[in-house]
Amino acid sequence: MSLLPIPAVLRLASTGDLDATNSIAFREFVRAQLTPETAHLELDLAATRFLDSSGLGALLALGKCMRLRGGTLRVFNAQPRLGPAISALRVDQLIEIVQP
Amino acid sequence: MSQPIIHPGNSLCLTCPCDVRSIRGIAKSIREFLQTEGTPADQLDAWELITAEAGNNAVFYARDERCQLPIEFAVEVTTHHTELRITDHTPGFEMPERIEAPDPLAEGGRGLFLMASLSDSIDYRRGRHANCMVIRKNHAPVAAPSATPRIRTASAADESLEETLQTMTEELAASYESLSVIFRFTEDLNRSEVNDSFIARWLAELKAITLADWFVLRLVDSEQRQLVVAHASATTAELTPLPLPSADTSAFSVEATAAHERRDVWFEPSQPGLAADPLRILGTSLGGLAHPLDVGGDLIGVLTIGRFGADNPFSAGQVNIIHTVADFLALQIRNAQFQKARVRAQLIDREYEVASQIQRGLLPKSHPSIGAWRTEAYCQSAQRVGGDFYDVIPVGPSGLLLAVADVMGKGLPAALFAAVFRSLLHARLDLAPTPGRFLDWLNANLLRDLSELDMFITAQLAYIDTAAREVRVAGAGHPPLLLAGAESPTQEVPSEGPPLGIIEGLEFEEGRLPLPAGARLLMYTDGVSEASGTAGEQAGVQPLKELLDHAVLQGETGVQTIEHLNTWLKAFTNDLPAHDDRTVILVAEQPAPNAAAAAVPPTP
């Protein structure tokens, strides 16, 4: 048996906080990684300890972008510390957040 | 970020510059502080987020010079609640009565809703120069409260309350002082004219009110090229004008920066580059504010005001007063400048009106006829006062002197020389039968005055001897006279010679031609022959010749020919405004139905 990469899935892992200082750059960076084949985007937020409304805005924008392409956005490993922001804005109803 | 001030009780005050990176640092510090106060872990996440959102909100609303003012954070923990106060110096925003959930698909606008969701109350106090957002979250009831923290909390709360009251009192006093200044300013304005003395008085007043040590007011010069010192608190002989616009950052100047960037520029003695600032001649340790005077987008000048020594900045209230007085002064200076310009324009208008009346007075009131010889003429000035002139003067029983002149240039000087030309012309009508000699004499008499002003006059004189049926023509740099008759096509009668006022001792040539039956003579200035068509082409002489041929053929009256000429010119130029004056004299031999009634008695 051999394992092959799945070009339709792009998985990216964050390296730090996602807030007003970097949300626009983050959004544009992720968008730049999308290829015509990318149908599903997966973001790993294990290293993100802080997420503010700007960061959430970036996630929602990426979710919208993927929906328009007929694809999906899934967020993995969102830390409990991000809970207040995610639950207050009910982001989990707009983006699939896979609990660790 | 500043060093935190931790009160003995349980509050923390921090300030940071107005940018999002600094806000992030503040949010972390407040989280750490609340952790030491025993705030539960889930609440720490919420407060870190609330602090970041509130701080970012202040940064996003900051504009212009207010970006330079710090944002202040104060957090306090009591037995009942945790309260965060954020004071910013931005224009602020309209706080909605109800904070609604944002559109789920919108990318922004969630900060306020987040703060509201994570706290129990948000109070937003919006002031003219500062806004304060107070966010509070009540603590869950505690079964057995400890006595010790409660005592410490009360002390800190009192202190915070006192501080707030003091700030409010200071703001109120500054507002009162600003209002008082506005009233006194308005009263002074009603009593006196806005002149140097008025401006100096108010700058001295401003210096006293704000406890400033010095000021410099520079105004933009009339050519909009420089900022020139208009008023200063001390002798400023060495303060040279600053060029405008000054995007050149190699030579640092707080005044030029304020003018160029149209924003307040704050400076302090330790600021890099200040040592090379032209203001440095006022003292070695300068701190203060350079405020651009801007009225409706127009830069009027820059007011720079300050104190000597470090750590001696203006308070928010004093800055408020500086802005108030400076902006009022700018408005009054601009109004005074407009008023002065309006008076100047009215004077110029009046001068032109007088000159225009003089010029109209120079032209003949009627166009004389001698026997069957009738004249028609007109002069159209391209400007309100032109340089063209014409005259038709009966000389003796059978002579008619026709004169057309074009003084180089237009406006007042041209009109004045036209007046001089007319006076000289009427002074020597004895020379009329010899137009060449007449031009010699005119040249000799105009030469000195015209040469001194580097001006000249083109002219043409024609003498019609109706008895001898002859025309004598002499010209000075003027287009040729056109002569038409029933038996031959229109011919040009050149009258070559340089313009008057250039060469001394000239003798102008004189041409003589017999007048054919039914003759038409056309004299004109170059404004007619050089009229521009829609494609930029010049009219030339040929269309004029064709008009005259047609006039002779049809037996037109002079009035009809002039009408046809105007109609043609209008069509050729597409009725666009003329660039040069247009003058025409037309003489037609045309028996009158009642010759006796039409004739004007000739001058003796």
Side-chain angles (χ1 to χ4, degrees):
Chain A
M1 185 194 74
S2 61
L3 291 172
L4 296 170
I6 308 168
V9 178
L10 172 67
R11 187 172 176 118
L12 297 169
S14 73
T15 57
D17 296 347
L18 182 51
D19 56 29
T21 64
N22 59 13
S23 60
I24 294 173
F26 165 80
R27 188 188 65 200
E28 294 310 312
F29 174 81
V30 176
R31 274 186 181 161
Q33 308 309 307
L34 300 175
T35 64
E37 291 78 33
T38 310
H40 306 288
L41 174 62
E42 295 181 352
L43 294 176
D44 186 338
L45 299 187
T48 300
R49 295 166 56 80
F50 183 74
L51 180 67
D52 68 5
S53 63
S54 304
L56 284 168
L59 290 180
L60 289 170
L62 290 170
K64 189 168 148 187
C65 173
M66 293 310 296
R67 269 198 305 282
L68 289 172
R69 297 164 66 105
T72 59
L73 165 67
R74 288 201 290 176
V75 173
F76 289 87
N77 297 323
Q79 298 302 297
R81 285 182 63 164
L82 310 188
I86 289 172
S87 58
L89 289 171
R90 296 191 173 86
V91 175
D92 47 351
Q93 293 179 8
L94 302 166
I95 297 172
E96 187 181 347
I97 296 178
V98 182
Q99 294 303 328
Chain B
M1 188 170 68
S2 67
Q3 289 297 312
I5 304 163
I6 300 177
H7 290 273
N10 39 16
S11 63
L12 171 76
C13 294
L14 297 166
T15 60
C16 76
C18 195
D19 65 75
V20 289
R21 288 191 187 283
S22 304
I23 298 295
R24 187 74 191 90
I26 290 280
K28 284 178 182 168
S29 299
I30 286 179
R31 179 192 177 97
E32 285 163 12
F33 167 74
L34 291 175
Q35 195 168 18
T36 62
E37 289 294 317
T39 303
D42 61 327
Q43 296 294 307
L44 292 177
D45 296 333
W47 276 114
E48 185 177 0
L49 191 52
I50 289 170
T51 309
E53 295 295 343
N56 289 343
N57 207 38
V59 172
F60 295 143
Y61 281 99
R63 287 200 303 261
D64 307 331
E65 72 276 7
R66 295 181 183 189
C67 293
Q68 298 181 18
L69 298 172
I71 301 173
E72 296 143 29
F73 294 80
V75 61
E76 182 185 41
V77 181
T78 73
T79 48
H80 303 291
H81 62 254
T82 298
E83 186 178 278
L84 174 66
R85 287 166 178 259
I86 301 105
T87 305
D88 65 66
H89 302 276
T90 72
F93 64 94
E94 287 295 330
M95 183 76 165
E97 278 186 30
R98 289 189 58 191
I99 301 171
E100 305 282 354
D103 175 358
L105 296 177
E107 292 182 21
R110 294 183 171 75
L112 205 55
F113 183 76
L114 254 183
M115 286 185 268
S117 302
L118 299 174
S119 63
D120 290 320
S121 71
I122 298 182
D123 185 16
Y124 185 57
R125 299 162 194 172
R126 194 174 178 191
R128 188 171 172 205
H129 294 286
N131 313 295
C132 184
M133 183 177 274
V134 183
I135 305 163
R136 181 178 289 187
K137 189 165 179 58
N138 298 323
H139 296 168
V142 180
S146 155
T148 316
R150 195 174 290 170
I151 295 166
R152 286 166 59 199
T153 301
S155 160
D158 287 349
E159 199 172 313
S160 172
L161 184 63
E162 197 173 316
E163 202 173 293
T164 306
L165 280 172
Q166 194 180 335
T167 307
M168 285 173 67
T169 306
E170 192 183 307
E171 179 74 16
L172 198 62
S175 299
Y176 171 79
E177 188 66 62
S178 283
L179 268 178
S180 165
V181 164
I182 291 167
F183 285 133
R184 280 185 287 135
F185 193 101
T186 311
E187 198 184 349
D188 194 6
L189 197 59
N190 288 334
R191 281 201 313 260
S192 50
E193 189 187 343
V194 178
N195 50 24
D196 280 352
S197 151
F198 178 91
I199 298 168
R201 190 162 65 245
W202 272 96
L203 288 174
E205 181 106 354
L206 178 64
K207 177 171 168 271
I209 296 170
T210 57
L211 305 176
D213 293 324
W214 57 270
F215 66 80
V216 174
L217 172 68
R218 287 182 187 265
L219 295 178
V220 176
D221 70 352
S222 57
E223 294 179 351
Q224 304 281 312
R225 286 185 179 174
Q226 292 182 318
L227 277 169
V228 182
V229 175
H231 294 272
S233 53
T235 174
T236 53
E238 294 173 59
L239 273 177
T240 53
L242 293 171
L244 274 178
S246 180
D248 176 17
T249 50
S250 59
F252 180 79
S253 157
V254 292
E255 295 164 289
T257 306
H260 180 62
E261 297 180 9
R262 302 287 178 95
R263 64 174 178 86
D264 278 1
V265 177
W266 297 83
F267 54 96
E268 54 186 19
S270 60
Q271 188 163 325
L274 199 62
D277 195 295
L279 286 174
R280 189 61 188 267
I281 62 165
L282 298 174
T284 52
S285 182
L286 300 175
L289 161 71
H291 177 67
L293 306 185
D294 183 302
V295 179
D298 290 341
L299 184 72
I300 307 296
V302 175
L303 173 65
T304 311
I305 185 162
R307 293 174 176 159
F308 296 120
D311 300 327
N312 197 11
F314 292 117
S315 69
Q318 287 163 336
V319 171
N320 185 7
I321 294 168
I322 291 169
H323 283 160
T324 303
V325 172
D327 294 345
F328 261 70
L329 266 179
L331 199 59
Q332 297 313 322
I333 291 169
R334 171 37 60 100
N335 284 344
Q337 287 171 342
F338 274 147
Q339 179 68 12
K340 203 181 274 184
R342 205 171 60 191
V343 169
R344 197 181 302 129
Q346 280 173 344
L347 280 174
I348 291 170
D349 264 13
R350 180 66 193 139
E351 279 179 25
Y352 269 94
E353 188 54 39
V354 170
S356 180
Q357 282 172 4
I358 291 170
Q359 195 199 25
R360 281 197 300 272
L362 297 178
L363 302 177
K365 301 289 178 290
S366 62
H367 302 130
S369 301
I370 294 179
W373 297 91
R374 308 184 180 286
T375 59
E376 289 297 333
Y378 72 83
C379 176
Q380 281 180 344
S381 293
Q383 291 187 356
R384 291 169 60 190
V385 183
D388 275 13
F389 164 79
Y390 78 88
D391 212 343
V392 182
I393 311 165
V395 181
S398 58
L400 201 55
L401 176 67
L402 313 173
V404 176
D406 180 359
V407 183
M408 185 206 79
K410 288 175 264 304
L412 276 173
L416 290 173
F417 270 106
V420 172
F421 183 86
R422 181 186 184 275
S423 300
L424 291 173
L425 198 66
H426 282 257
R428 291 297 305 271
L429 286 178
D430 58 305
L431 292 173
T434 52
R437 279 188 57 209
F438 208 162
L439 283 182
D440 296 348
W441 183 81
L442 287 168
N443 184 49
N445 283 276
L446 285 164
L447 187 77
R448 198 187 68 184
D449 292 343
L450 286 170
S451 299
E452 277 179 8
L453 294 171
D454 286 331
M455 294 179 77
F456 60 82
I457 299 174
T458 68
Q460 189 174 55
L461 300 183
Y463 178 76
I464 295 176
D465 185 338
T466 58
R469 294 194 66 83
E470 185 181 73
V471 60
R472 295 164 212 156
V473 188
H478 209 79
L481 178 147
L482 300 181
L483 175 62
E487 292 166 6
S488 60
T490 302
Q491 58 180 313
E492 296 179 20
V493 184
S495 49
E496 293 167 356
L500 305 176
I502 294 179
I503 302 170
E504 194 176 0
L506 269 180
E507 289 185 5
F508 287 87
E509 287 182 15
E510 189 176 295
R512 287 174 184 235
L513 281 173
L515 291 169
R520 300 287 191 280
L521 279 101
L522 186 70
M523 295 170 76
Y524 52 91
T525 53
D526 57 6
V528 176
S529 55
E530 293 175 9
S532 295
T534 48
E537 75 282 17
Q538 285 192 350
V541 179
Q542 187 57 32
L544 304 178
K545 289 161 86 171
E546 288 168 11
L547 270 167
L548 279 191
D549 286 340
H550 184 264
V552 171
L553 199 66
Q554 299 296 320
E556 286 177 357
T557 63
V559 174
Q560 287 171 326
T561 308
I562 293 280
E563 273 177 13
H564 288 157
L565 174 61
N566 280 334
T567 305
W568 177 83
L569 267 175
K570 208 170 174 178
F572 180 75
T573 60
N574 203 21
D575 208 14
L576 290 172
H579 296 300
D580 200 0
D581 303 344
R582 290 176 188 159
T583 299
V584 166
I585 300 177
L586 181 79
V587 181
E589 186 187 25
Q590 189 181 358
N594 183 351
V600 171
T603 50

